[in-house]
Amino acid sequence: MQHFPIFVAMAGRTVTLAGGGDVVLAKLRILMKSAASLHVFAADPCEELRDLHRAGKITLTERTLAPGDAAGSVLFYAATGDIMEDKRLGEIARADGVMSNLVDNLEDSEFITPAIVDRDPVTVAIGTEGAAPVLARAIKRDLEERLPTNLGTLARIGKTFRRAADRLPFGRKRRDFWSDYYFGKGPTALSEGGEDALRPALENLLEAHLAQAPRKGSVAFVGAGPGDPDLLTLKARKLLHEADVVVYDRLVTGPILDLARREAEMIDVGKEGFGTHTSQTEINALITGHALAGAQVVRLKSGDPSVYGRLDEEITTCEKAGVDWFVVPGITAASAAAASIGQPLTARGRNAGLRLLTGHDVNGFADQDWASLTAEGAVAVFYMSKRAARFLQGRLLMHGASPETPVSVVENASRPEERIIAATLGTLEPTLSRANLSGPAVLMYGLAPRGAAAALPDLQLEAL
């Protein structure tokens, strides 16, 4: 993020602009919606600027900006339409101690003006760091269509009621009240009785919420998928937006955590094989403790919660504590990895079954029914298999598996840094050791990357 978005207080402050034509007029159209005093310097102003000055909407000085003219302003815009002149004027403003924007010159500007959706007092600002103004305009157009025109009225009346709403305890109870107003009772009252009906609706709604018993806490076991935030379910996104507490695993990626409500308490309980560790007992106590205190807890697990996620232990803990719970499935790494190599997990005539196995468990390397895996066409996906690869290779070969059996290892499935390692059972090691994998990986026994998958531009396909 090269430009940090903020909203600047404008009331009682001055914005200075330099320019006399269409460029400065375009900036004035948006700035005139603010409470700032606008002062324009132009040696040869167009008639529209003079009209705005006569109407009292701006102050116009008919000369070129000079040192000291911008001093005391909150912002300065150089909008002459001449790149070199704008740079000269920007230097004057900076010498006066004012942040400057040179229109259509991102490199020399100290701030940028975003595209704005105006539902005063609700304002949505959209920026692309100057990279794609056309994209910002497209997003603005989409939001203009989605946000009702009466949203500003609801927010303006709601703002006058904020002190009264402070009777509700801070946190979820207060958020529930405002949610009911903006997405339920408020729009209904406005459509049926007009603006005058909003204040009585707020008063009735507040009394109803004050009389409500505190909402019980609960735990949602949510699958975060393999890492790509676009693979989250809509329900998972909704719960992250509403959560009071998010208890998350090590493999949940930053872009997914960023979707959580900003005020939510974020608790990292990551476990690393043979490394840092949060005990299951601690995790159980955290999720039930917060839920019993009334919090809406999201227990966020990478992949799908029901696949090697110790889900049963955590559900049992919730049941013993009398905590309500539910499960939101996610895309497991096996599905994401299969998509990356372009192979179905089951195929007619190849394998009628699929096994999801673990390379190691709490007792070390996990033993399996190796004989069943040596059948022709058998397919299995091994989780947590990086350290167990040599063990798996040895056991399968010992039980008669062909050394030519294809094996694919997908690291960081679905993520930008994804890698695909193509091997056979016979070459699996030392292939994996040479690959020096550092991210989470699944081993797909019996599946080779398809040619179409190898051609995808975002994949790193390695045959070591």
Side-chain angles (χ1 to χ4, degrees), residues 266-287:
M266 308 294 290
I267 303 175
D268 181 359
V269 294
K271 298 178 181 179
E272 185 174 356
F274 311 101
T276 56
H277 189 81
T278 302
S279 73
Q280 191 62 49
T281 300
E282 291 177 87
I283 295 172
N284 294 345
L286 277 169
I287 61 177

Side-chain angles (χ1 to χ4, degrees), residues 177-178 180-181 185-186 200-210:
F177 164 78
W178 286 114
D180 282 355
Y181 167 66
K185 294 293 192 298
L202 279 164
E203 291 169 350
N204 292 335
L205 187 61
L206 177 60
E207 293 305 319
H209 275 260
L210 286 168

Side-chain angles (χ1 to χ4, degrees), residues 192-460:
E192 293 177 353
E195 186 173 328
D196 291 342
L198 288 178
R199 184 80 186 193
L202 279 164
E203 291 169 350
N204 292 335
L205 187 61
L206 177 60
E207 293 305 319
H209 275 260
L210 286 168
Q212 284 179 359
R215 182 194 288 194
K216 284 182 62 179
S218 66
V219 176
F221 296 99
V222 176
D228 182 352
D230 287 342
L231 295 180
L232 273 181
T233 64
L234 293 175
K235 190 168 186 177
R237 282 179 176 265
K238 179 176 181 289
L239 289 167
L240 281 171
H241 294 160
E242 297 174 351
D244 298 308
V245 178
V246 178
V247 181
Y248 63 94
D249 287 340
R250 177 179 64 90
L251 296 180
V252 178
T253 59
I256 290 174
L257 295 176
D258 288 343
L259 296 173
R261 194 171 60 86
R262 187 175 59 184
E263 296 83 5
E265 182 178 354
M266 308 294 290
I267 303 175
D268 181 359
V269 294
K271 298 178 181 179
E272 185 174 356
F274 311 101
T276 56
H277 189 81
T278 302
S279 73
Q280 191 62 49
T281 300
E282 291 177 87
I283 295 172
N284 294 345
L286 277 169
I287 61 177
T288 55
H290 282 287
L292 289 170
Q296 307 303 306
V297 179
V298 166
R299 175 67 175 102
L300 193 60
K301 296 173 175 285
S302 63
D304 182 273
S306 66
V307 180
Y308 300 114
R310 303 187 75 168
L311 177 63
D312 187 60
E313 298 170 52
E314 295 179 12
I315 287 176
T316 299
T317 299
C318 287
E319 289 176 333
K320 288 180 178 178
V323 170
D324 293 337
W325 59 271
F326 58 96
V327 179
V328 179
I331 292 178
T332 188
S335 296
S340 293
I341 68 171
Q343 289 282 13
L345 289 170
T346 61
R348 184 181 301 175
R350 184 190 68 193
N351 63 309
L354 168 70
R355 298 181 66 183
L356 303 182
L357 305 171
T358 178
H360 65 79
D361 55 26
V362 292
N363 298 314
F365 295 144
D367 253 318
Q368 311 290 349
D369 179 5
W370 305 109
S372 68
L373 290 171
T374 63
E376 185 177 351
V379 172
V381 180
F382 288 89
Y383 291 71
M384 297 169 283
S385 57
K386 283 191 298 184
R387 288 185 176 88
R390 191 175 296 277
F391 170 80
L392 298 174
Q393 180 186 38
R395 283 290 190 275
L396 287 163
L397 290 172
M398 183 189 308
H399 285 80
S402 169
E404 301 305 315
T405 304
V407 177
S408 299
V409 178
V410 182
E411 179 190 30
N412 295 313
S414 84
R415 305 182 193 183
E417 62 273 26
E418 178 182 88
R419 284 200 299 166
I420 298 172
I421 312 299
T424 64
L425 183 60
T427 63
L428 180 60
E429 281 294 353
T431 295
L432 277 194
S433 294
R434 290 202 302 264
N436 194 27
L437 303 181
S438 58
V442 291
L443 186 155
M444 312 187 77
Y445 172 79
L447 294 178
R450 206 174 192 128
L456 292 175
D458 292 336
L459 295 183
Q460 300 179 55

Side-chain angles (χ1 to χ4, degrees), residues 62-112:
E62 297 197 27
R63 62 171 174 81
T64 300
L65 184 86
D69 285 340
S73 300
V74 61
L75 299 171
F76 171 76
Y77 286 88
T80 66
D82 183 313
I83 293 177
M84 297 309 297
E85 177 65 2
D86 281 352
K87 289 184 69 170
R88 186 186 73 83
L89 295 169
E91 290 170 0
I92 292 174
R94 280 191 284 272
D96 285 346
V98 184
M99 289 183 63
S100 63
N101 172 272
L102 282 56
V103 176
D104 290 335
N105 184 346
L106 178 67
E107 183 178 345
D108 294 314
S109 293
E110 295 177 289
F111 71 93
I112 57 177

